[in-house]
Amino acid sequence: MKLIDPILQFSGEIQKLRHTIHARPELCFEEHETAELVARSLTEWGVPIMRGLGGTGVVGILKNGSSPRAIGLRADMDALPVQELNAFAHASRNEGKMHACGHDGHAAMLLGAAHYLSQHKHFDGTVYFIFQPAEEGGGGARRMMDDGLFSKFPMDAVFGMHNWPGIPVGQFGVTTGPMMASSNEFAVTISGKGAHAAQPHKGIDPIMVAVQLAQSWQSILTRNKNPLDAGVLSITQIHAGSATNIIPDDATLIGTVRAFDLDVLDLIESRMRTIADHTAQAFDATVDFRFVRNYPPLVNHAKETAFAVDVLRSLVGTENVDSNVEPTMGAEDFAYMLQEKAGCYVFIGNGEGDHRMAGHGLGPCNLHNPSYDFNDALLPIGASYWARLAETFLKPA
């Protein structure tokens, strides 16, 4: 790997920043202490800032030379409502809150790049360091955009990065086109008529409707959707009844739908609604169908992805860059930014979890797991990628 020497020399400080953020996790739109640390660090390094976009967002503005070109580098800052099982020194001190997705590391890597670029201005143009709140379900990217992120800070392209357990340290994964799915949720309440279980003919059984829906909806994926198009429909909750001898008045199904293509999503939602309405009608029941679209699919732009791949290959070697990584049905609100701006999102390998020091929990080092911890070995790698990306994108003529 051809990491940047000043970043390697500063990696101890980057690690301290990461551990500080990890020990004091804050949930979406509550990242006040984290935003203060980010703002204070950038200011100390001579990077002008703007605060308040998306509530607790911070944008660092680093200009050099005379070029009007600009690049945006984005990291998320929020934690999850998870009780950490780790017991090492930097474990969470905030009850019921944990950096179980590595946003502490994402913020620290971007801070490391900001420190280097503020001291070594080998670029011509503007670098915007975007520290975003509320990725975990809050749509913080959308909120920053609504508050004028791209109008106040006009940029030619925007880039994002997420650690990925299972990919070895020192390796990256990326692909052109859809890389992460849209995230959507549904809740369906079936209203029937309660009765004694010994006299079901006197009621309208909502549980039978729920059973029919659970089975029929899966036919959407196998008989309505093109088999070559990806889609997932998962029922994750069923609520009905309170006694063994009573048919309840209602039943509820709750779950999630994932897809890479909005036309596929339209098809799934439409068929779910139609099947729910007609199945309930067949049983003389009624149905309340609610479908909420959360994050759109994350789609990488071809030109910017090819550019990112070239930078990565020059940094860690061609053999350590999978430019056709398998997409995931997980979701990311960076997708909003890629809907409005050209750009690319990459996975940086977090390893298998053997980096965790004594005192870690017994669970796997997977995202959203109470035994997870970001791998500090990534810090100089990710920071070097950010720095080289900016320097190459804004290479002086």
Side-chain angles (χ1 to χ4, degrees), residues 27-31 54 56 76-78 103 132-141 143 295 333:
L27 302 183
C28 65
F29 297 121
E30 299 176 359
E31 309 91 335
T56 50
D76 36 22
M77 302 187 294
D78 58 321
H103 297 185
Q132 179 210 302
E135 188 281 323
E136 297 290 357
R143 283 280 296 274
Y295 295 170
D333 76 344

Side-chain angles (χ1 to χ4, degrees), residues 36-333:
E36 180 61 32
L37 184 150
V38 167
R40 184 171 63 250
S41 298
L42 293 174
T43 300
E44 288 176 358
W45 303 332
V47 180
I49 62 169
M50 174 175 280
R51 301 183 62 172
L53 269 70
T56 50
V58 181
V59 179
I61 308 114
L62 187 61
K63 297 179 179 289
N64 190 59
S66 58
S67 172
R69 286 176 54 76
I71 184 174
L73 310 177
R74 173 268 198 179
D76 36 22
M77 302 187 294
D78 58 321
L80 284 157
V82 172
Q83 181 62 43
E84 183 160 5
L85 295 182
N86 300 314
F88 37 61
H90 63 278
S92 173
R93 300 173 190 172
N94 295 342
E95 190 77 14
K97 302 175 184 180
M98 178 191 175
H99 272 293
C101 201
H103 297 185
D104 53 333
H106 301 167
M109 289 188 296
L110 189 54
L111 283 172
H115 177 267
Y116 166 78
L117 290 169
S118 69
Q119 308 299 314
H120 305 82
K121 297 180 180 179
H122 305 312
F123 63 90
D124 184 13
T126 304
V127 183
Y128 294 116
F129 305 100
I130 305 166
F131 293 87
Q132 179 210 302
E135 188 281 323
E136 297 290 357
R142 181 76 262 171
R143 283 280 296 274
M144 290 191 80
M145 292 165 62
D146 290 343
D147 285 346
L149 175 65
F150 292 138
S151 58
K152 291 181 171 69
F153 309 105
M155 56 193 76
D156 297 284
V158 64
F159 295 83
M161 175 166 52
H162 201 295
N163 79 96
W164 208 250
I167 297 179
V169 173
Q171 295 186 15
F172 288 81
V174 64
T175 190
T176 300
M179 183 158 151
M180 301 187 77
S182 64
S183 171
N184 317 276
E185 56 194 58
F186 61 85
V188 181
T189 299
I190 303 145
S191 298
K193 180 181 178 182
H196 195 289
Q199 299 175 315
H201 60 291
K202 293 184 177 181
I204 298 173
D205 191 347
I207 294 179
M208 291 302 297
V209 180
V211 170
Q212 291 289 332
L213 288 182
Q215 294 178 323
S216 298
W217 277 344
Q218 294 304 319
S219 70
I220 299 170
L221 305 181
T222 61
R223 291 298 178 268
N224 299 137
K225 178 183 66 60
N226 187 326
L228 299 180
D229 295 329
V232 173
L233 191 166
S234 295
I235 298 170
T236 55
Q237 298 179 48
I238 299 179
H239 303 282
S242 59
T244 58
N245 62 347
I246 299 175
I247 294 173
D249 286 319
D250 51 58
T252 300
L253 300 173
I254 297 173
T256 182
V257 172
R258 307 292 175 112
F260 293 121
D261 184 273
L262 292 179
D263 289 338
V264 173
L265 182 61
D266 290 341
L267 168 68
I268 294 174
E269 179 184 355
S270 174
R271 291 297 297 147
M272 287 181 70
R273 188 182 300 277
T274 299
I275 290 172
D277 288 340
H278 288 280
T279 302
Q281 184 179 1
F283 282 83
D284 287 330
T286 59
V287 66
D288 176 26
F289 181 91
R290 286 159 287 159
F291 194 97
V292 178
R293 299 194 179 198
N294 293 326
Y295 295 170
L298 186 150
V299 182
N300 280 332
H301 297 246
K303 178 181 176 181
E304 286 68 28
T305 300
F307 171 77
V309 167
D310 286 343
V311 172
L312 287 171
R313 286 172 174 168
S314 68
L315 183 72
V316 298
T318 300
E319 69 280 6
N320 289 317
V321 182
D322 182 355
S323 59
N324 193 30
V325 75
E326 182 178 66
T328 173
M329 282 292 175
E332 233 285 356
D333 76 344

